[in-house]
Amino acid sequence: SYYFSKFNHCWGWASWRRAWKHFDYDMSSWPKAKASKSFNDLYSHYAESLYWTNLFDKTYRNEINSWAIRWTFSCWNNGGLTVTPSANLIHNIGFDQSATHTKEAPDRYSPTINSMDYPLKHPDSVTRHIQFDRVTDNIWFSGGPFFPLRRFAKKIVALLSKTTRNR
């Protein structure tokens, strides 16, 4: 019915007071965490490392105004896990021009709301489901281990087609 994830999606979430006490708005421990092996072991591949390091660096320098990135850092830095349902239980109504950050819904966003089947089926242990996290990362975040190559290939193709057209 659900799994444990390192990703704490900021749409439709809840927490405990004991977890929120670890929220580090200033990300004061980011420089130390960035250099630590245990923190870097959270990344499945280099593209994921680049993606999150870039976000954490920019947020730490206040170039990005996002409580959600700060919360993700706080959770990861403290070994937190998130209970993630196997079904989408929410519909984000915050995609429009009045939104702070989400003017348009991402292509991968599906507003379909599902329900949970009861009784719940519980995981065997409270451990991170690494395979599901890799899928989540590929869809929502870094785009997977080969995403930088695909992005680079698209730029080369665009450049080549532009060069060919100008002849």
Side-chain angles (χ1 to χ4, degrees), residues 26-40:
D26 295 324
M27 296 177 61
S28 57
S29 52
W30 168 236
K32 183 178 178 182
K34 181 179 179 179
S36 77
K37 181 180 177 347
S38 61
F39 194 88
N40 284 284

Side-chain angles (χ1 to χ4, degrees), residues 15 36 49 55 57 87:
S15 186
S36 77
S49 172
L55 279 179
D57 280 344

